[in-house]
Amino acid sequence: RIDHMVESGAIRLVAMLEPRAVGFTSGVHVLLEVEPEAEEEVVEKLQGVPELSFLAHGLEERNLLLVMGYFEDNEGVRKFLRHTLREMSGVRVIKSVLISRVMRDESDWLPGFVGE
C-alpha cells in the first residue's frame, strides 16, 4: 500500500533536518508584499537563500509571499530582514515574527482521511 502511494505521488519519503539540532536556533516567519513586476526576480533570489525552508504565495488583494527560515542566531535573522530583503527591489516586509517555540510542523501533519 505504501509503495503504491509513493508511486502515485500521494506521499514522498524524505528525511527532515531538525534545525535546532544542527545549530540553527533562530526561526522567523515573514510576510512580504512584492510588486507584481518584481515577483519573478524576488522569488528566484529567495529560492537562493539557503536558510529559507518555506516560500509560498498568499491569496489576498495584495501580492504576498510567505517566507519561513532558520538562522544560526538572531543576528542572522536581523541581517536577513534588514539587508537581504531591503536590497531586493519591489519588496516590503509587512510583518516578521521570531519563532520562540514550534509545537507542530509539517512533519507532524497527517490529514484525517489518511488510513480510513
Side-chain angles (χ1 to χ4, degrees):
R1 183 175 175 172
I2 290 177
D3 287 339
H4 175 69
M5 291 178 79
V6 170
E7 290 167 7
S8 73
I11 64 171
R12 57 190 167 113
L13 303 174
V14 298
M16 294 194 62
L17 189 65
E18 178 55 49
R20 292 182 191 334
V22 293
F24 289 82
T25 60
S26 294
V28 65
H29 281 252
V30 185
L31 179 61
L32 304 173
E33 182 175 13
V34 181
E35 296 296 327
E37 62 276 1
E39 180 180 345
E40 190 174 315
E41 183 179 344
V42 168
V43 167
E44 187 176 313
K45 286 180 179 179
L46 289 172
Q47 287 177 333
V49 177
E51 293 86 357
L52 298 185
S53 62
F54 182 83
L55 175 61
H57 283 275
L59 293 176
E60 195 183 89
E61 65 274 0
R62 297 180 289 178
N63 196 31
L64 300 178
L65 290 177
L66 304 147
V67 178
M68 184 174 127
Y70 290 97
F71 297 82
E72 290 184 17
D73 53 28
N74 289 346
E75 179 63 17
V77 172
R78 188 188 73 75
K79 286 179 182 176
F80 175 68
L81 294 172
R82 305 230 181 211
H83 298 286
T84 304
L85 291 177
R86 284 192 180 169
E87 291 170 4
M88 292 183 190
S89 180
V91 174
R92 185 167 73 94
V93 175
I94 302 295
K95 182 152 184 90
S96 63
V97 178
L98 196 61
I99 301 167
S100 63
R101 182 174 66 136
V102 176
M103 285 78 67
R104 180 178 174 160
D105 66 20
E106 60 275 1
S107 67
D108 299 317
W109 182 75
L110 187 63
F113 66 84
V114 173
E116 291 180 353

